[in-house]
Amino acid sequence: MAPDVPDGNAVPSPSGGAEDTGRVLSAEERSEYERLRRSATLRHRRTRRLGASILLLVALLLAPLAVVSAWVHDTVSDTDRYVETVAPLASDPAVQKVVINRLTARVVEQVDVEAVTASLTKVLADADAPPRVVAGSEALTGPLTSAVRTVVRRNVERVVTSDLFQQVWEGANRRAHAAVLRMLTGERKGALRASGDAIELDIGSVVDQVRQRLVDQGFERAALIPDSDRTVTLFRTAELARAQDAMRVLDIVGTWLPVLTIALAALAVWTAPGHRLMLLITAVGIGLMMVALLIALLAMRRVYLDAVPVATLPPDAAAAIFDTFVRFLRDSTRTLIVVAVATALAAYLYGPGRAAVALRSGVRRGAGAAGRGLGRAGVRVGPVGRRLAARRSWATGIVIGAGALALILWNHPTVGSVVLVLVLVLVALAAVAVLVAVAASAPPREGAASGHAAP
């Protein structure tokens, strides 16, 4: 008995097979069925495309906010990062000039030159000096003031331009930032800390030193000084709780908003019917948003410089301060632009474009020629190379994934680090291609000799 052969025009079952209904679809019924199936597939693709577009739009809108929030979080919550941010200001010539001018003016204000000249005039008059000399001493106020200013400025300039000022600057900023951070986070460590709505100063170490010095000087009863009341309340403020709440929000937003943005972008690529095309669109979109962020920073810089009065801060010093504070934000933005360009280029090169196909063909020919040359030179890859050749797509994916993971785990990657990782990935991919070519050029008897004998 001949086996039953399903008719090509039979009504398909829901499971995908053919359901034996006892009759054959007519041409019109078959055409209608195909039309409905194409319509359902089209609706499914449109739904996926719409969902991917919405996810991508949200990711693109969040991308600049994620970069800024991560930068603010690192600067505010990390003392080392904050000190690294403000450290260059101590060696900036424009900022040094402002510090020198203000310190010189402050010191000269404390010197009463008029009182000095008046005393000199009185001494000369009491000593019966000639009237001409006494009258000349009264005119020394201007020259003496100029001389004092010159001497003070020379000494202030020597200090401000020295390495000592750089060390003092970094140390003062580190201590101040650590103290403020402890207050904002409610950490009960250090000399300055927050308790409720009060800012307290811990003087315990001072009490211990005073008590020990008194004991060393013979006041034995000083050892009975109690350890109570070792804190002094400096002031109370109702805004402290709000500042601490803002710090907690910043900690959450700065940590999770970048993660959410990356997740939405990845989900958009996964949801789209064409993964490669959506990856290309996502990379271009992220790159454009980073360019827009750089333009916004330039506009903010212009607004800031226009808002700072010249009497308060010279334009060159104001520009140096702004550029120093946002330089890590600019570096992160430029790094993301390079990553976006590299990702978009990779997505294009894996596509059907004429230039991409020609480039891939050229690379394959080059790798094949190199592999054949190494094979003729006696280079053999062994079983590992043959397994690699059999799983070339897996090896390529692992290399690219390792490069992406390296950038994700890199602490504050820069353009240089991205270029380094990209070069290493390209070298690894070229090595894989050459190894595959060497394995393909190996004589057939090598594979047979390395395996078990055929039965």
Side-chain angles (χ1 to χ4, degrees):
M1 182 177 178
D4 294 333
V5 178
D7 195 320
N9 291 328
V11 179
S13 65
S15 60
E19 181 182 351
D20 190 3
T21 60
R23 72 182 184 84
V24 177
L25 292 177
S26 65
E28 294 181 356
E29 291 173 336
R30 184 69 181 178
S31 176
E32 179 66 14
Y33 167 73
E34 293 294 340
R35 186 187 67 81
L36 292 175
R37 187 172 65 174
R38 287 193 300 269
S39 177
T41 303
L42 183 61
R43 284 197 300 270
H44 179 64
R45 290 177 64 88
R46 286 178 176 174
T47 301
R48 290 178 60 185
R49 190 176 293 112
L50 177 61
S53 300
I54 294 175
L55 291 172
L56 177 60
L57 179 61
V58 176
L60 293 180
L61 292 177
L62 291 179
L65 298 177
V67 175
V68 174
S69 64
W71 167 69
V72 174
H73 177 260
D74 286 345
T75 305
V76 173
S77 62
D78 189 343
T79 299
D80 292 335
R81 188 66 168 177
Y82 171 78
V83 173
E84 188 179 359
T85 299
V86 302
L89 291 176
S91 57
D92 187 271
V95 177
Q96 287 181 344
K97 183 178 179 181
V98 172
V99 174
I100 292 171
N101 291 338
R102 294 188 177 180
L103 285 179
T104 301
R106 185 69 58 86
V107 173
V108 172
E109 288 176 359
Q110 304 303 317
V111 179
D112 193 351
V113 179
E114 293 183 355
V116 174
T117 55
S119 299
L120 178 61
T121 302
K122 184 177 182 302
V123 169
L124 292 175
D126 293 342
D128 295 330
R132 187 174 181 179
V133 175
V134 175
S137 66
E138 296 176 352
L140 291 177
T141 302
L144 186 57
T145 302
S146 178
V148 170
R149 181 178 290 107
T150 301
V151 173
V152 171
R153 182 180 181 85
R154 184 184 301 115
N155 286 275
V156 170
E157 185 174 359
R158 187 180 296 114
V159 172
V160 172
T161 56
S162 65
D163 294 337
L164 178 61
F165 180 73
Q166 180 79 32
Q167 298 172 5
V168 172
W169 172 268
E170 293 183 10
N173 277 278
R174 182 177 298 277
R175 290 189 295 271
H177 186 274
V180 173
L181 185 60
R182 282 192 294 269
M183 287 190 298
L184 293 178
T185 57
E187 183 181 354
R188 298 191 61 83
K189 293 181 180 180
L192 194 64
R193 60 198 184 190
S195 178
D197 62 346
I199 305 299
E200 297 179 346
L201 178 64
D202 186 1
I203 60 173
S205 59
V206 178
V207 172
D208 294 339
Q209 293 180 13
V210 171
R211 181 169 50 193
Q212 185 61 41
R213 289 190 178 186
L214 290 175
V215 171
D216 293 341
Q217 294 177 6
F219 297 94
E220 290 81 2
R221 297 186 63 84
L224 302 178
I225 297 177
D227 290 335
S228 60
D229 298 331
R230 297 169 65 91
T231 60
V232 176
T233 300
L234 300 180
F235 60 92
R236 296 181 180 272
T237 174
E239 301 296 328
L240 180 59
R242 295 183 181 180
Q244 291 176 338
D245 292 340
M247 184 63 190
R248 283 189 286 268
V249 172
L250 177 62
D251 188 48
I252 296 173
V253 173
T255 302
W256 292 106
L257 187 57
V259 176
L260 177 62
T261 304
I262 295 175
L264 290 175
L267 191 59
V269 174
W270 179 78
T271 304
H275 301 319
R276 184 195 63 81
L277 181 59
M278 180 54 72
L279 178 61
L280 175 62
I281 295 174
T282 302
V284 172
I286 294 294
L288 292 177
M289 294 305 293
M290 294 302 102
V291 172
L293 179 56
L294 287 179
I295 295 175
L297 287 176
L298 288 176
M300 290 177 58
R301 185 180 188 271
R302 185 70 268 166
V303 172
Y304 166 76
L305 294 179
D306 292 340
V308 177
V310 178
T312 303
L313 202 62
D316 54 349
I321 292 173
F322 182 89
D323 294 338
T324 300
F325 267 96
V326 303
R327 77 181 190 281
F328 286 133
L329 177 58
R330 284 175 174 166
D331 291 345
S332 299
T333 306
R334 295 190 185 103
T335 301
L336 287 176
I337 291 176
V338 174
V339 172
V341 170
T343 304
L345 186 61
Y348 171 75
L349 293 179
Y350 272 91
R354 181 178 301 178
V357 172
L359 181 61
R360 293 201 302 269
S361 299
V363 170
R364 281 195 296 268
R365 287 194 298 269
R372 289 189 296 271
L374 292 175
R376 287 192 298 269
V379 176
R380 296 293 181 264
V381 294
V384 175
R386 288 190 293 274
R387 284 194 294 268
L388 180 64
R391 299 173 178 83
R392 180 176 181 176
S393 59
W394 281 91
T396 301
I398 290 174
V399 171
I400 296 176
L405 183 62
L407 288 179
I408 292 174
L409 298 180
W410 199 300
N411 189 22
H412 303 115
T414 62
V415 174
S417 60
V418 172
V419 173
L420 174 62
V421 172
L422 182 60
V423 170
L424 293 177
V425 168
L426 292 177
V427 170
L429 291 177
V432 170
V434 172
L435 288 177
V436 170
V438 171
S441 65
R445 63 179 182 273
E446 181 183 342
S450 60
H452 297 287

